[in-house]
Every structure is written in structure tokens, then in C-alpha cells.
Amino acid sequence: MLFNSCSTNPVTGKKDVILMSEGQELAMGQQADPQIVAQFGMYDNPAIQRFIDEKGQKMAAISHRSNIKYDFKVLDSPVINAFAVPGGYVYFTRGIMAHFNNEAQFAGVLGHEIGHIAARHSAQQQSKSILAQVGLIAGMVIAPELAQFGDLASQGLGLLFLKFGRDDERESDQLGVEYSTKIGYDANQMADFFLTLQRKQEESGQSIPEFLSTHPDPGNRYTTVHQLAEQWQKKTNATNLEVGRNSYLRMIDGIVYGEDPKQGFVENQIFYHPELKFQFPIPQGWKYLNSPQAFQMAEPNGKAIMNLTLAPGTSLEDAARKTLEGYKLTAVESKNVTVNGNNALAMVADQQQEQGTIRTLTYFIQYGNNIYSVMGITTANDFNNYFNTFSGTMTNFKALTDQSKINKKPERVRIKTVANATTLSQALQSFGMPSNRLEELAVLNGMQLNDRVDKGMLIKVVAE
């Protein structure tokens, strides 16, 4: 009955064409959740997890779809993002949690995400088959024929990062204001957070995820959300609305900021993994993306990519065979080699596609108790151009012994109390913050460097 699938939208009361039942929607979320947790990992902070669940359940109870079970999680990712998937699953990254400056900002974004679920936006988008490619390096489009390899770290996750239309985003903003006001927060604060997002967007080298690309302009949202906040406060006769600045800042004191070195980090074009104790070089000028499941590298024009993953199988030969099967590759040649004292197997393999042949070079390297696969992927026509680049990374895979890299600590947000009334800039410098990071820290605090700060006020700095 595909063509008779109208369903009443819980928010608008209007009929929507949704080609999936509520049961299918819930099942989609249940299936996706373990994949999301596997891709990003959970952020290990019971107090923050408790906070997001407590506020989330309170808000879900007053939402337009209080009948379904909701699940709220904080993911271990530095990216500034929050997203919802069909069936009541809502995720915030530690990156976005570090950038909120009070509970009310968090509550506004929480309401926005619950709004996507309440209005069944993701179910509608799924019905329109608007799937976004995810897991690829930000700001770069991989050639379509390589996309299946580029999506290595996130197979099956495409539907989770649906691009919502601007109308959906506006509706979710409205719901964010409504829901956060109803649970007692000042929704004007949500508008201020859009300014933080806008400034992050403008910071050089910072890429903002899909979360923002189809959203209305942050400046316009700022004005609209302030107007909506005023309307809802009048409508609900709300007084003494909570902001929760100090309580929020104290809760996130010590949250990991930026990349966590223990998950691997890049310095001077070399990727180091302190826990697994290996390192290898990244080709000059290539972009990269690190996740718990894979380290992906890509040439900026998208014509070649490389992935490092754990290989399936119990031996080098077994790993090669399973990789061939998994990607429907045909081996061209393979040989046993050693890579810096580690047993390895090097293999060239092809995949036939309508638009031509894809050729891969993979090194399977036995190191520690694991077998690592480093796969370079391009077209057969371009393979010779990239062969030396691929093998340059693969043959320089080696043990990490440098203690300064092994013991590298993550940066963390630290909450400090301002000693005297001054400017934010001077306060940050009094805590030893370097001048080249003052603007970044102003954004993190949701303030301008020349803003006044009072004696006793709490502010964020970044330190180990």
C-alpha cells in the first residue's frame, strides 16, 4: 500500500505522506543506534550522561510524541553536532556540550532535536529517499565510484544524517523554543547559541557538519528565535525562567576539548595511535578523518582515498580473502613482504564497475595482536599515478616508541573564576592563555574579547 500511506503529523495535525509505519520508524532507530555508538563511541562522563537523559526525558514527556520511548546519549566526538534519528534517539557530541554556556542553550537545541522526531521529519525524509553520504572528509566530494569505499567507517549510516529542508528546520526551531520554555528555560539563550555556531563557521579551517548547511542563516534564526521566545513566554505566562549558567559550567569542567589523543592524532602529517602504539605518514596535502572504526585519508580532488582499519580474519591470507569477498574484489597479484619488521601481505585487486575498473592496493600488516589493513583506492587509469603515494604510507607503518607521543594528554575545558572586573581578553591572558587562541576561547565562552567580565564570574579556559 505504498501510495496510500498518509499519516497525521503529531505537530501540525495535517496529513503527511510517510512511507513507513511508526513500527518501522522505531525499528530503524533501534538498528541504527549500535552503529552510531560504534562509529563515535560514548563519552565516558556519568554526570553529563545523567544530565542529558534527565532533561531529555522531561522534555519528551511534554512533546507532541510523548508516546514513544526516547534515548539520549553523549558521543565521544570533537565535532560540534547534535542529531536525532527516527524512533526517539537523540545524540549530542562532547564537542557541542563544550560549546554551550548554560543549561538553557542546551535545552533549546535539545528541543530542536526532539522536534525533528515529534514532527517525524526524519521519517518523511527517509520516505523521500534523501540520503546524505556520511563519513567522508568534510568539504570534499569523493568521486562517486569510490564512494562505497569512502563510506567504510559508516556503512548503513547514510539515513542518519538526512538533510532536512529549511521548513523542517524552522519548525524544529519553533518546537525547540516551545519545549524548552515549557520545562522552565529561557529560550532566548538558544538564539545566542546560533551566534556561537555562526562564529565557528567563520573560524578559518573549521568545518561545520551537515547539521548547519541546510539550516536557515544563523543571523536570521537569531532574530526569529528571540521573537518566538517572547511569544511563548507570554503564551505560558512564564516567569523566573532558568538560564543555569554556573551549574552548567561546573558540570562540564574537565570535558575533553578537541581531538582526544588516545583515539589517535595527527601531528606534522604523521598519524600516531598511542594506545595501539603505531604510526604512519599521511600524504602531503591530503585531508583526513579519524573515527573509532577507521582512519580515512583522501586527496582533496577526491580521485584517491586510503583507509586504515582492523582487518577481519585470523591470518594475513584469511584477512586478504575476507577483504576480497567483502568488497567483491578480484585479486590481480599478491606477495608476502615485511614492513619495518612486521609480517605483511601486499595485494593489488580490482573491482569492475559500469563506469570502469577500480584498482586497490592493500597492505595487510600483522602488528601486536592485530592485523591492520591499509587500503588505497583509485581508478585503474589513475593507479600508477598514486601507487608511490599509497605505498609510501603503507611501507612506513611502524611501531610508536616516542614516549612524548604515547603519553600525550587531551586538552580539557577548565572553569576559572575571574579575580577582578576586566575584559574577557585580559581575564583569559591572566590565566596564561596564549594570544593566538584568544578568539577561539572567546567563541568557546560565547562572548567577544572586549566584553566586560565581573569579579567572581566563571569563564572557560583550555588546558591539559
Side-chain angles (χ1 to χ4, degrees):
M1 294 293 289
L2 267 187
F3 300 103
N4 190 20
S5 306
C6 275
S7 149
T8 303
N9 184 303
V11 172
T12 62
K14 294 175 184 167
K15 295 285 187 191
D16 287 332
V17 176
I18 297 186
L19 309 181
M20 70 167 74
S21 67
E22 185 166 270
Q24 287 171 308
E25 190 186 345
L26 298 178
M28 192 187 292
Q30 286 162 3
Q31 194 182 348
D33 178 62
Q35 296 176 47
I36 294 171
V37 172
Q39 169 149 3
F40 296 101
M42 291 276 286
Y43 183 57
D44 183 15
N45 185 311
I48 295 178
Q49 292 285 357
R50 244 193 333 271
F51 169 80
I52 185 176
D53 189 58
E54 184 189 311
K55 301 298 176 189
Q57 298 302 345
K58 191 173 181 182
M59 197 176 276
I62 55 98
S63 76
H64 292 80
R65 282 182 86 189
S66 55
N67 60 311
I68 65 171
K69 181 179 174 291
Y70 285 80
D71 200 296
F72 302 92
K73 291 187 168 99
V74 181
L75 301 173
D76 192 2
S77 166
V79 174
I80 300 172
N81 207 355
F83 57 96
V85 304
Y89 291 83
V90 178
Y91 306 88
F92 281 70
T93 60
R94 63 171 166 79
I96 201 169
M97 296 302 284
H99 279 81
F100 292 129
N101 279 287
N102 55 53
E103 291 185 24
Q105 288 181 351
F106 161 80
V109 175
L110 177 69
H112 176 102
E113 296 307 331
I114 290 176
H116 279 309
I117 293 169
R120 298 197 74 190
H121 291 158
S122 33
Q124 290 169 43
Q125 294 298 80
Q126 178 64 4
S127 300
K128 295 175 196 164
S129 298
I130 304 176
L131 300 189
Q133 184 76 27
V134 33
L136 303 185
I137 289 79
M140 187 211 65
V141 179
I142 283 179
E145 59 271 28
L146 306 188
Q148 56 157 320
F149 295 101
D151 204 24
L152 232 186
S154 49
Q155 280 165 345
L157 288 186
L159 67 99
L160 308 178
F161 293 77
L162 295 162
K163 294 179 182 173
F164 296 118
R166 296 200 167 198
D167 290 345
D168 284 353
E169 293 300 350
R170 285 196 188 93
E171 185 173 36
S172 277
D173 280 352
Q174 288 165 12
L175 293 170
V177 170
E178 176 183 341
Y179 296 164
S180 59
T181 305
K182 283 182 173 174
I183 69 162
Y185 283 106
D186 180 359
N188 284 297
Q189 298 294 323
M190 177 184 176
D192 292 341
F193 188 65
F194 291 138
L195 296 186
T196 297
L197 293 176
Q198 188 173 26
R199 288 168 74 193
K200 286 305 286 185
Q201 238 168 337
E202 288 159 3
E203 255 182 39
S204 60
Q206 282 286 343
S207 58
I208 289 287
E210 246 3 286
F211 173 58
L212 291 173
S213 68
T214 52
H215 285 50
D217 174 70
N220 298 343
R221 291 172 93 184
Y222 176 82
T223 311
T224 308
V225 167
H226 271 306
Q227 290 165 349
L228 288 167
E230 208 172 301
Q231 288 164 19
W232 272 103
Q233 285 167 17
K234 277 185 186 155
K235 203 169 179 175
T236 56
N237 294 320
T239 52
N240 299 328
L241 288 167
E242 201 178 333
V243 172
R245 186 175 189 274
N246 287 0
S247 55
Y248 185 81
L249 293 178
R250 288 194 180 103
M251 178 184 73
I252 64 159
D253 190 9
I255 195 169
V256 173
Y257 177 75
E259 297 288 346
D260 188 344
K262 75 172 196 290
Q263 299 169 349
F265 64 95
V266 174
E267 246 175 42
N268 301 325
Q269 290 300 113
I270 295 176
F271 177 75
Y272 299 101
H273 203 300
E275 294 215 325
L276 299 171
K277 295 192 171 55
F278 65 75
Q279 66 179 74
F280 58 81
I282 297 167
Q284 206 58 43
W286 282 39
K287 298 192 175 190
Y288 54 85
L289 182 77
N290 188 21
S291 79
Q293 292 180 322
F295 184 78
Q296 300 179 297
M297 297 157 274
E299 199 204 27
N301 66 17
K303 287 186 174 178
I305 55 178
M306 264 192 287
N307 296 311
L308 173 121
T309 57
L310 277 174
T314 50
S315 66
L316 294 170
E317 290 69 25
D318 191 27
R321 184 178 55 76
K322 286 186 166 153
T323 299
L324 290 171
E325 285 170 7
Y327 285 103
K328 299 184 171 58
L329 294 163
T330 307
V332 177
E333 59 175 308
S334 69
K335 61 178 180 182
N336 289 91
V337 292
T338 56
V339 173
N340 294 307
N342 302 298
N343 289 331
L345 188 152
M347 176 176 78
V348 176
D350 287 354
Q351 186 192 75
Q352 304 304 326
Q353 293 188 358
E354 275 177 40
Q355 55 272 62
T357 303
I358 297 296
R359 180 156 285 184
T360 63
L361 171 67
T362 309
Y363 268 64
F364 298 95
I365 303 167
Q366 196 135 27
Y367 177 71
N369 297 321
N370 295 317
I371 297 172
Y372 294 95
S373 155
V374 192
M375 180 187 280
I377 305 125
T378 186
T379 61
N381 292 342
D382 284 333
F383 187 75
N384 288 345
N385 301 336
Y386 290 107
F387 180 82
N388 288 340
T389 307
F390 290 159
S391 58
T393 290
M394 297 167 188
T395 58
N396 283 295
F397 178 103
K398 62 183 180 188
L400 170 57
T401 54
D402 181 340
Q403 289 304 312
S404 70
K405 303 288 189 268
I406 290 170
N407 297 321
K408 191 176 169 71
K409 297 279 184 280
E411 288 196 316
R412 294 178 185 272
V413 172
R414 302 289 183 192
I415 305 303
K416 300 286 186 185
T417 305
V418 175
N420 299 299
T422 180
T423 62
L424 176 65
S425 176
Q426 287 167 328
L428 290 169
Q429 288 174 70
S430 76
F431 292 116
M433 294 297 102
S435 54
N436 65 348
R437 295 190 73 180
L438 293 180
E439 182 55 37
E440 173 196 354
L441 290 165
V443 175
L444 186 65
N445 279 283
M447 296 167 74
Q448 299 293 339
L449 284 170
N450 56 3
D451 282 353
R452 300 297 298 172
V453 291
D454 297 324
K455 181 181 177 177
M457 187 174 168
L458 300 182
I459 61 168
K460 297 173 185 167
V461 299
V462 169
E464 276 192 6

